[in-house]
Amino acid sequence: MRRESGDARIAWIDELRFTAFCAVALLHVSWIESVRLGPHDLIGFATRFAVPAFFMISGFMIERKGRPAGRVIAGTFRRLFPLFLFWEAVYVLVDIAAGGAFHPLPEATAK
């Protein structure tokens, strides 16, 4: 993470970011089948605050820096979109190599 010199860290923002990060990680690694009021539903319920928290923190930090939001969003897009495309290509190639096992076509599952 880049910081200009003189930027003071805000402890509660860092703590919220860490908590939200842990919540997102927990949501992504909880592989338990979703059963009504089962453990996965409780994990999902308890962690749904994380993504909105990241958006609010981002907006707060953009406003705090005084940079135009459009420039920040464009810069972030230019930085992250190539990584997104790379990993999408990796996932597609792995799925093809696995014979479509990760995303079977509907007619293949109907047999």
Side-chain angles (χ1 to χ4, degrees), residues 13 16-17 19-21 48-59:
I13 293 267
L16 180 59
R17 286 174 67 189
T19 304
F21 163 77
R48 292 296 172 197
F49 76 93
V51 173
F54 278 125
F55 275 101
M56 288 185 281
I57 291 168
S58 297

Side-chain angles (χ1 to χ4, degrees), residues 17-108:
R17 286 174 67 189
F18 178 74
T19 304
F21 163 77
C22 290
V24 169
L26 178 63
L27 184 63
H28 283 288
V29 300
S30 64
W31 54 270
I32 303 166
E33 286 292 324
S34 183
V35 203
R36 193 159 200 80
L37 296 177
H40 184 72
D41 287 343
L42 295 176
I43 291 170
F45 176 76
T47 57
R48 292 296 172 197
F49 76 93
V51 173
F54 278 125
F55 275 101
M56 288 185 281
I57 291 168
S58 297
F60 176 78
M61 298 309 285
I62 289 170
E63 178 66 28
R64 188 166 177 256
K65 294 277 188 189
R67 294 174 50 202
R71 272 186 63 201
V72 173
I73 292 169
T76 302
F77 181 82
R78 280 193 303 272
R79 190 178 77 243
L80 295 179
F81 193 66
L83 295 171
F84 169 78
L85 289 178
F86 170 77
W87 283 109
E88 280 299 310
V90 168
Y91 293 145
V92 167
L93 292 174
V94 167
D95 193 41
I96 290 170
F102 299 115
H103 297 94
L105 296 174
E107 57 270 5

